[in-house]
Amino acid sequence: EKIDIEKIYSEIYKKAKDAYIIEGEKEEIIELHKEEDGIDFKLSIEEAKQIISQEKETYTIPLKITKPKVAVKDLGEKLFKQTLAKYTTIYDAGNYNRSHNIALAAKTINGTILLPGETFSYNGILGNTNKAKGYKVGTAYVGGKVVESYGGGICQVSSTLYNAALYANLKIVERYNHSYVVNYVPAGRDATVAYGGKDFKFKNTRQYPIKIVASAKNGVVSISIKGIKEEKEYEVVLTSSVLSTTPNTTVYENNSSLNIGVEKVIQKGYTGKKSIAYKILKLNGKTISKTVLSKDTYNAKKNIVHVGPAQ
């Protein structure tokens, strides 16, 4: 049979489709259509006909993928005009290095869009928070002591985002608590991260795309999850309680640079805790479910005091 290249072309060709939304009378989103890639010959029909005019057993017609002009992320604020959840935490703006790291981390995740079914990775977005990325040396916990480390402070942003994701009723995929309690969120509501190790991940289990809006300035980290409210929206209530505590201890260390009898607090200790956190879902004021988010253990952190040498 003679090869009908035009028939083959009509079977293969697919036009790229732009993303679009269908709105109701009250400008509510009724339907979202995602963008679709197209497919086409990489050359003209005439060039394809030239290829098949030769006597061969096999003919190869190169193809190309065509891209739409409008993707879901380009639909703008119509998709992200409603606040699904918001959470804020407080930090010491006077600590320059830590404040810088917090602001840089918030700026990096700001504007991230997740389509339905996509998973957000905090480490995947930030990468290695080293000097080359613009991060400064801040405080971190290592071996029961406070040490200096690049990127110190970024866990406050991940913890703030964790709470915002919980209030938006998104699925938490991966989350770890700190070794010690932190002072910016309740026990059981923190999310520590370490590049190459511990990550914080959550999945967009909603019907429509969501957008992360994050900022850090004047001592306040603010993170919102923007999107479109669904027909059935649950009210999320988060609770946490301390099950038991472990007292901290004080360690005295000699410091020859201090005058005799002088004491200097090097590290402020924390009481150890065991906590449990719950997520409660309500609909029209009625409790639908109560689930355990996590059971966490926080170690007691020692008070470390330097003292001048004995006479």
Side-chain angles (χ1 to χ4, degrees):
E1 250 184 73
K2 184 180 179 182
I3 298 173
D4 188 342
I5 196 66
E6 292 181 353
K7 181 183 178 183
I8 292 174
Y9 178 76
S10 66
E11 292 173 349
I12 288 175
Y13 176 77
K14 179 186 174 185
K15 185 179 180 181
K17 294 182 180 179
D18 291 339
Y20 66 95
I21 54 178
I22 298 176
E23 293 184 287
E25 294 180 358
K26 297 180 181 179
E27 294 189 346
E28 75 276 17
I29 304 298
I30 296 177
E31 204 170 332
L32 166 68
H33 290 262
K34 298 179 184 178
E35 71 274 14
E36 294 181 22
D37 290 342
I39 191 167
D40 200 350
F41 279 6
K42 204 171 184 178
L43 36 71
S44 67
I45 293 288
E46 287 69 27
E47 289 171 316
K49 285 180 179 179
Q50 276 190 335
I51 290 175
I52 64 169
S53 66
Q54 305 168 33
E55 290 294 331
K56 288 184 177 181
E57 288 284 331
T58 304
Y59 302 95
T60 301
I61 308 294
L63 304 177
K64 66 178 178 180
I65 300 296
T66 56
K67 294 291 183 181
K69 295 179 180 178
V70 181
V72 168
K73 64 180 182 179
D74 301 320
L75 293 176
E77 293 312 307
K78 285 186 176 181
L79 277 178
F80 311 111
K81 60 185 177 182
Q82 293 175 312
T83 299
L84 306 176
K86 183 178 181 179
Y87 198 77
T88 59
T89 57
I90 307 299
Y91 63 92
D92 179 11
N95 186 331
Y96 174 75
N97 281 10
R98 191 173 185 277
S99 298
H100 172 86
N101 293 338
I102 289 174
L104 183 53
K107 182 181 178 181
T108 303
I109 66 170
N110 181 51
T112 301
I113 293 173
L114 291 179
L115 299 179
E118 286 189 335
T119 297
F120 172 92
S121 165
Y122 193 74
N123 285 342
I125 297 294
L126 263 65
N128 192 352
T129 53
N130 52 24
K131 184 178 181 180
K133 288 281 188 70
Y135 288 90
K136 297 186 180 297
V137 173
T139 54
Y141 295 144
V142 177
K145 292 187 177 183
V146 176
V147 299
E148 299 296 307
S149 175
Y150 279 103
I154 64 168
C155 290
Q156 179 159 352
V157 179
S158 58
S159 297
T160 308
L161 179 59
Y162 173 51
N163 283 267
L166 287 173
Y167 277 114
N169 199 24
L170 300 171
K171 181 181 178 180
I172 306 303
V173 177
E174 184 177 349
R175 171 263 173 191
Y176 304 92
N177 65 291
H178 286 78
S179 299
Y180 309 103
V181 292
V182 294
N183 58 9
Y184 44 80
V185 290
R189 301 260 296 277
D190 57 319
T192 188
V193 292
Y195 183 72
K198 296 177 179 179
D199 197 0
F200 168 57
K201 296 179 181 179
F202 65 88
K203 185 177 182 179
N204 179 12
T205 47
R206 299 182 64 87
Q207 184 180 353
Y208 301 109
I210 57 172
K211 181 180 181 180
I212 299 171
V213 178
S215 65
K217 56 184 179 181
N218 302 325
V220 179
V221 181
S222 178
I223 297 182
S224 299
I225 307 291
K226 298 279 191 174
I228 301 168
K229 290 187 177 180
E230 299 174 6
E231 186 176 347
K232 184 185 287 186
E233 283 289 338
Y234 293 98
E235 176 192 354
V236 178
V237 178
L238 303 179
T239 64
S240 60
S241 57
V242 176
L243 303 176
S244 63
T245 60
T246 303
N248 60 351
T249 58
T250 301
V251 176
Y252 294 92
E253 298 176 350
N254 286 331
N255 187 336
S256 59
S257 66
L258 296 177
N259 292 329
I260 295 173
V262 173
E263 296 186 356
K264 183 178 181 181
V265 177
I266 301 300
Q267 173 177 290
K268 184 180 179 182
Y270 292 121
T271 300
K273 295 179 180 179
K274 285 189 176 182
S275 67
I276 187 168
Y278 296 94
K279 182 173 83 168
I280 301 167
L281 294 182
K282 292 185 176 183
L283 191 62
N284 300 323
K286 183 180 178 182
T287 298
I288 304 299
S289 65
K290 181 178 181 179
T291 56
V292 175
L293 280 173
S294 63
K295 293 179 180 179
D296 300 311
T297 299
Y298 301 91
N299 299 325
K301 185 157 76 78
K302 296 179 290 186
N303 288 300
I304 299 177
V305 180
H306 281 191
V307 296
Q311 201 161 15

